Amino acid sequence: MPPPVRSLRQSKKYGFGSNFTPDYTDVESYFARIKRAVAKKEIYTAAQFHGPVRLMLDLDPTSYVGIRTGTLRFIRLLASYFIMSPALNKSEVSEALAVADKRNEIVALEDPTKKSQLSEAAIALIEHLKVYVDLIQSGPEYQELIEDMQYRVKIPMNTPSARLVRHIKDDSLTNYTFKRAKAYQKSALLALHPFRGFEDNASLTADELKAKIFRGSWGPDNR
């Protein structure tokens, strides 16, 4: 049995990666490239393309709702940071993406229990994010998030993939996944107000969906 890797799904060798390369120079070029790829059968549908961000949002087995708040905050922080950073020249985009793809493959196929080859680059980015968080006064929750991410880079046993390695039994995570699934099912069955909004295939408005999901004063206030 080969040793575990950091992310099967994130890698092109084992996961959803493909030889299809999108065009990120601008939004119009991105959509046009996707449409051409579908027309030329490079991908069957637009939904078949799994970019790095989409893969980051894959289900997290350690979270009851499938994704942790910290993950969403980190992606939000990264998006904000890159939006506020100087844009690359269009002539530089392809080369930058090629380098990023190579780095992605390296990290995805690494031993999750060991420090990444690109840990220094990760720490450098985190240091920039620290300064950015202070500049925009994001709040203590983002400062704590940055510290957590830095801790993961320095001590890889705290990464999600390394935590899963601890649960491997007979070269499988089947027992672990069944245990987690049963715990989630038990929790869902105990819910006082289960969400039943899609049982009749109804098309709900944003306000109707909010009313069904959030009952009481603890609902989100978007004012």
Side-chain angles (χ1 to χ4, degrees):
M1 183 74 179
V5 297
R6 202 177 301 280
S7 177
L8 289 171
R9 184 179 173 89
Q10 188 77 9
S11 71
K12 285 190 174 183
K13 184 175 182 179
Y14 300 112
F16 280 90
S18 67
N19 293 324
F20 167 69
T21 303
D23 186 342
Y24 287 110
T25 51
D26 52 50
V27 175
E28 291 76 15
S29 299
Y30 176 81
F31 280 112
R33 178 70 182 95
I34 294 287
K35 289 181 179 179
R36 288 199 305 272
V38 173
K40 294 180 178 180
K41 307 298 182 182
E42 294 178 74
I43 53 177
Y44 291 108
T45 66
Q48 186 187 356
F49 172 59
H50 291 73
V53 173
R54 181 174 178 182
L55 291 171
M56 284 178 68
L57 291 172
D58 198 13
L59 294 179
D60 182 345
T62 66
S63 169
Y64 275 80
V65 294
I67 187 167
R68 292 191 172 275
T69 303
T71 302
L72 291 174
R73 283 178 175 163
F74 188 63
I75 293 174
R76 180 182 180 184
L77 178 62
L78 279 177
S80 172
Y81 172 77
F82 287 126
I83 288 172
M84 298 301 293
S85 298
L88 291 173
N89 294 324
K90 289 188 176 182
S91 59
E92 300 174 321
V93 173
S94 295
E95 182 179 353
L97 287 175
V99 172
D101 283 342
K102 289 180 180 179
R103 289 184 169 188
N104 175 80
E105 193 72 1
I106 289 172
V107 174
L109 297 179
E110 288 178 323
D111 183 337
T113 64
K114 296 180 180 179
K115 185 176 288 188
S116 172
Q117 299 176 48
L118 297 173
S119 59
E120 291 185 5
I123 292 296
L125 173 60
I126 289 173
E127 291 297 331
H128 283 291
L129 289 175
K130 280 184 179 180
V131 175
Y132 179 68
V133 165
D134 290 337
L135 286 173
I136 64 174
Q137 299 180 331
S138 295
E141 65 272 22
Y142 282 92
Q143 293 171 334
E144 292 174 358
L145 173 62
I146 292 298
E147 290 179 357
D148 289 342
M149 291 299 176
Q150 188 173 48
Y151 190 59
R152 288 186 186 184
V153 174
K154 292 182 176 180
I155 306 178
M157 286 305 297
N158 291 289
T159 59
S161 51
R163 292 203 303 269
L164 285 176
V165 169
R166 302 169 188 166
H167 299 285
I168 294 176
K169 184 177 181 180
D170 298 328
D171 295 329
S172 173
L173 284 168
T174 301
N175 289 338
Y176 170 75
T177 54
F178 272 118
K179 182 179 179 180
R180 298 296 294 182
K182 288 179 180 178
Y184 297 153
Q185 182 185 49
K186 181 179 179 180
S187 177
L189 292 174
L190 291 174
L192 296 177
H193 301 288
F195 175 64
R196 305 185 186 281
F198 300 118
E199 289 185 351
D200 57 358
N201 295 318
S203 179
L204 304 177
T205 66
D207 287 337
E208 290 171 338
L209 183 61
K210 177 181 175 181
K212 286 180 176 292
I213 296 178
F214 300 104
R215 298 179 177 89
S217 60
W218 49 271
D221 187 348
N222 295 320
R223 290 176 296 177

